[in-house]
Amino acid sequence: IRPYTPRHNGKVERSHREDQKRFYSCHSFYSPNDFAKQLAVHNRRSNNFPMRPLGWLSPFEFAVQYV
């Protein structure tokens, strides 16, 4: 996303808010390595979680259809 693009700002802000709610505020990080490990687990879990906008496919399953 290009900087200072107002039409994208809402999408970026919502993404940041959801990340804060679902990951950053729920975890404690003790080192950069600990952060990386916890983030990898979170990403793996969220990329395999079915979502209604994707027809109840996970983001991973949805992406596989187009690769």
Side-chain angles (χ1 to χ4, degrees), residues 23 27-30 33-43:
F23 181 66
H27 294 84
S28 297
F29 311 110
Y30 303 104
N33 288 336
D34 180 50
F35 170 76
K37 287 178 186 177
Q38 290 188 47
L39 182 60
V41 170
H42 172 75
N43 284 339

Side-chain angles (χ1 to χ4, degrees), residues 5-23:
T5 307
R7 72 174 186 262
H8 294 147
N9 193 41
K11 295 172 188 170
V12 172
E13 292 298 324
R14 180 179 178 124
S15 172
H16 289 178
R17 186 174 62 243
E18 291 298 316
D19 291 343
Q20 181 69 35
K21 180 174 78 173
R22 293 183 178 159
F23 181 66

Side-chain angles (χ1 to χ4, degrees), residues 17-65:
R17 186 174 62 243
E18 291 298 316
D19 291 343
Q20 181 69 35
K21 180 174 78 173
R22 293 183 178 159
F23 181 66
Y24 297 108
S25 65
C26 302
H27 294 84
S28 297
F29 311 110
Y30 303 104
S31 69
N33 288 336
D34 180 50
F35 170 76
K37 287 178 186 177
Q38 290 188 47
L39 182 60
V41 170
H42 172 75
N43 284 339
R44 190 170 35 255
R45 187 178 305 134
S46 62
N47 285 333
N48 289 305
F49 187 79
M51 297 183 165
R52 183 177 179 194
L54 302 177
W56 296 110
L57 296 173
S58 70
F60 178 75
E61 293 168 331
F62 190 79
V64 167
Q65 291 180 348

